[in-house]
Amino acid sequence: MSDIASKVGISRQALYLHFPNRADLLVAASRHVDAENEIDRRLVPSRTATTGRERLDAWIEAFGNYIPVIHGVASALLAMKDTDKAAMTAWNDRMLAVREGCAAAIDALATDEELTASMTRDEATDWLWTLLAVRNWEQLCRECGWSQDRYVEVMQQTAARALIDG
Amino acid sequence: MSDIASKVGISRQALYLHFPNRADLLVAASRHVDAENEIDRRLVPSRTATTGRERLDAWIEAFGNYIPVIHGVASALLAMKDTDKAAMTAWNDRMLAVREGCAAAIDALATDEELTASMTRDEATDWLWTLLAVRNWEQLCRECGWSQDRYVEVMQQTAARALIDG
DNA sequence: ACGTCACTTGACACGGTGTCAACTTGACAC
DNA sequence: GTGTCAAGTTGACACCGTGTCAAGTGACGT
């Protein structure tokens, strides 16, 4: 909090006049990042895709490319999640929205009768949601040194192969 | 630390006579869990597998079923990783060993000429390593309510489909 | 001139990690 | 018996970060 305050150029206490606690500040920051980065515009290709496969690819591309944008605030929130209850529920709310995106892609696949017979819709949604976790992006792009483009490519490809039979 | 001490029945300070700090205690605990659970025995099927595919399945089964065993201490270490440097390197060391296991499975696939043409060995290793992350197990088995067996099944299946062409 | 609003300084409680000093207790050697 | 050693005890303290509180300041509109 003091780091942020001094960066902003106000006192630590002034920060508490605006945000009741660290978790709320982080949540507000993440919502701000969403607004600044036109989250809705990014999702247009995913929503307007005609086939299930296109929708899956578009969703992975949209969300995959959004991760680096929110990564800073996301990982701060993620780190608090284990100890702070408020951070935990805030993060869960945000991630539930991501799950919705995954569910929509899976539903599109199912409508096209392309969804693998080996998983239920819920399972496929859970799996895709997990694959696209921020921590996984972190591991591949930060620790393993993958480029952002390669990350998106591989995620698209492996998701398609895992979720579509044949 | 006080929680642990009182659970053990000694004073908090006595804990510091045995372990210099929290990170070291957690690392020692994880090594102890390894020893108690005959980690090597669990890996025999993986090492003696004859085909690449068998090796992949055996590795995923062995490690996947080991995650719940170390989950407690692992997630404690994981939580410290972001702030504590000692915990960070300790955890990285442990995870590098896991990566070795993934690399061995990928190599076995490559030897059988079964590894997908769309990823390098390193990429495939990174991908599998990431898929099998503790946090992913946590999400699927704890948050999403998957059973342990189903988790292993789905991981085996999706890994095989992503990593093997055709 | 007055109130109000945003902000300041400075203090403090609380919880957790890690450190330190001084004391006790039991086992063993001689 | 006495000395010694290891392992543990109590009790205190420093440091850091979050969150709270009180009192003061300075600019602004009316």
Side-chain angles (χ1 to χ4, degrees), chain B residues 35-94:
Chain B
E36 285 286 287
N37 289 277
E38 299 166 295
I39 180 78
D40 290 334
R41 189 183 48 73
R42 285 170 182 263
L43 291 173
V44 169
S46 166
R47 273 198 287 266
T48 56
T50 53
T51 71
R53 173 66 198 262
E54 271 175 33
R55 175 147 204 167
L56 179 66
D57 282 346
W59 163 248
I60 292 177
E61 187 180 341
F63 183 63
N65 283 326
Y66 191 56
I67 295 179
V69 176
I70 34 138
H71 176 250
V73 63
S75 68
L77 221 33
L78 221 32
M80 297 185 66
K81 194 187 136 182
D82 298 310
T83 52
D84 188 303
K85 211 185 144 197
M88 162 104 166
T89 57
W91 178 256
N92 285 351
D93 279 2
R94 302 225 54 200

Side-chain angles (χ1 to χ4, degrees), chain A residues 98-114:
Chain A
V98 175
R99 220 195 100 101
E100 294 299 309
C102 293
I106 296 297
D107 282 353
L109 278 183
T111 305
D112 285 11
E113 294 189 344
E114 283 208 297

